[in-house]
Amino acid sequence: MKALETIETFLRDRIGFPSLTALSKDEEVMKKSDLLIRIFYACGPFMAFLFLIMNAPPVPRQNFDPLWALQWVTIFHLDVNTTAVAVGVLFVVASMLALLWYKERSIRALFFFAVWQVTTYDGSFGVSTHIWYPWLFVSFILIFLPDGSRTTNTDKARTTLLVIWWAQAYMMLLYSMAGFWKFFIGFGQLFQGEISNLSPYGFPYQVAWSLNQIQNQAPFGPFFIEHPYIVWPLYIGSSLFQFFALWTMVRPRLQLLWGFELITFHTMTFLVLGTNFYQFIPIVIVLFCFSPFVPERVTATMVLYDLPLVGWALRRWRPTS
């Protein structure tokens, strides 16, 4: 498989990622990869159950206008309540089948289709939403896993690892793009003399606006509004973690640290802003807390030298470390 070899060569020789061929021959690494895939699909029924709870009739959302991928609703003249139940049941059935037969590509494709319908339903109320995108795109990527049970075939093992790396890279790209736009917009506001999200009072203003918009009380919201100079370094640090998220795809020893930070980020987003992105947390846990690319032995020194900015400075100061 020439394409696979080209990608592996690029990852190994150009950016220093461990050899996929070597990793594919490591039985422990392959056991971890199997476990990761199994846990991902084991989370499916739970996510389907949460979807049913969040969309139980009567559906409180207004202005239901099915997008093109949900046009079967129009054909059968289904109202929003019936649609919510139908999509939820499809999600439950596909999730249960994937839990049992996740090694079959056709079942993984069915699971993707169910998540696609959930995503389409969620975006059919006149407001663009991206909360189900991680499940949508990761389930699509995992369709490309080798079909059937894993064998000792090196190509299949390498393909499995490459697909997992692809799914991880997609997730980290999401966070890196979010971090990039925070800094891009922030510096633009600074240059125009406006209150930037990078200034001490920028994030408290954002918290106050968000709480007013959703008319909801967040437990930590008032504290973040009233103590801008305490909150400011936390916000900048979190933004830097997001900006450099993609770096963990070439420095896998950082993946556990970034996974922990991203879980904290989503938890604090709910506690501070009152917005709920619970769909992201299981994906982060599965892909990065059970990553097959994290070595068995990771020390604090290794992590420090792999960090962006900090690691570059340390290598200049102590290049032999």
Side-chain angles (χ1 to χ4, degrees):
M1 299 178 66
K2 189 174 180 180
L4 181 61
E5 292 175 358
T6 301
I7 296 172
E8 181 184 358
T9 300
F10 175 79
L11 291 175
R12 183 185 66 245
D13 298 339
R14 296 294 181 87
I15 57 180
F17 191 81
S19 167
L20 290 180
T21 299
L23 290 175
S24 67
K25 296 176 182 178
D26 188 322
E27 190 61 30
E28 288 302 315
V29 170
M30 297 314 301
K31 284 181 180 179
K32 287 182 180 179
S33 67
D34 287 342
L35 179 63
L36 181 151
I37 298 164
R38 187 179 305 168
I39 294 176
F40 173 81
Y41 287 106
C43 290
F46 178 67
M47 298 305 297
F49 178 67
L50 286 180
F51 174 82
L52 284 173
I53 292 176
M54 301 294 289
N55 295 275
V59 176
R61 301 168 71 179
Q62 303 296 322
N63 305 317
F64 180 60
D65 184 17
L67 297 177
W68 68 269
L70 211 63
Q71 283 305 304
W72 55 269
V73 170
T74 305
I75 296 173
F76 292 103
H77 306 288
L78 303 182
D79 61 19
V80 63
N81 293 312
T82 307
T83 302
V85 173
V87 171
V89 170
L90 172 64
F91 195 10
V92 170
V93 171
S95 298
M96 295 300 293
L97 291 175
L99 176 63
L100 296 174
W101 295 293
Y102 64 91
K103 293 183 180 180
E104 301 301 323
R105 180 169 290 141
S106 59
I107 299 298
R108 297 197 300 271
L110 175 63
F111 181 82
F112 160 73
F113 177 77
V115 177
W116 183 28
Q117 295 300 289
V118 167
T119 307
T120 305
Y121 167 84
D122 198 60
S124 295
F125 293 88
V127 179
S128 178
T129 176
H130 60 273
I131 57 176
W132 284 100
Y133 280 11
W135 282 91
L136 177 68
F137 287 101
V138 171
S139 64
F140 172 75
I141 291 169
L142 294 186
I143 293 175
F144 295 91
L145 287 167
D147 201 10
S149 302
R150 185 180 65 81
T151 68
T152 56
N153 183 286
T154 302
D155 283 342
K156 282 192 173 185
R158 285 191 300 172
T159 300
T160 298
L161 293 176
L162 185 59
V163 169
I164 292 174
W165 187 91
W166 179 13
Q168 290 180 331
Y170 160 75
M171 283 299 298
M172 287 310 194
L173 180 60
L174 283 182
Y175 290 109
S176 285
M177 290 174 65
F180 168 79
W181 284 112
K182 284 182 180 179
F183 285 107
F184 182 82
I185 295 173
F187 282 118
Q189 291 173 327
L190 283 176
F191 293 146
Q192 294 176 12
E194 302 174 356
I195 295 179
S196 165
N197 63 331
L198 301 179
S199 66
Y201 287 95
F203 187 60
Y205 273 115
Q206 182 180 341
V207 174
W209 179 87
S210 177
L211 295 181
N212 181 63
Q213 287 293 111
I214 63 176
Q215 293 295 307
N216 190 19
Q217 282 295 324
F220 291 173
F223 178 86
F224 273 56
I225 294 172
E226 296 168 5
H227 300 85
Y229 287 97
I230 296 177
V231 171
W232 182 61
L234 299 177
Y235 177 80
I236 297 298
S238 177
S239 299
L240 284 171
F241 263 95
Q242 289 186 53
F243 181 79
F244 287 108
L246 199 57
W247 180 249
T248 64
M249 297 316 304
V250 296
R251 295 294 183 270
R253 286 184 295 212
L254 299 176
Q255 289 185 353
L256 282 176
L257 174 62
W258 252 253
F260 176 82
E261 194 282 331
L262 292 174
I263 294 168
T264 304
F265 164 74
H266 285 298
T267 303
M268 294 303 296
T269 298
F270 174 70
L271 294 176
V272 176
L273 296 172
T275 53
N276 188 352
F277 291 90
Y278 70 86
Q279 293 88 345
F280 283 65
I281 294 178
I283 296 281
V284 171
I285 292 174
V286 171
L287 290 180
F288 302 105
C289 296
F290 292 91
S291 173
F293 304 118
V294 177
E296 289 292 330
R297 180 177 176 272
V298 179
T299 66
T301 301
M302 293 175 181
V303 170
L304 283 174
Y305 274 86
D306 278 350
L307 286 173
L309 302 180
V310 175
W312 299 333
L314 285 174
R315 278 190 289 272
R316 289 181 64 87
W317 178 44
R318 300 181 62 184
T320 58
S321 297

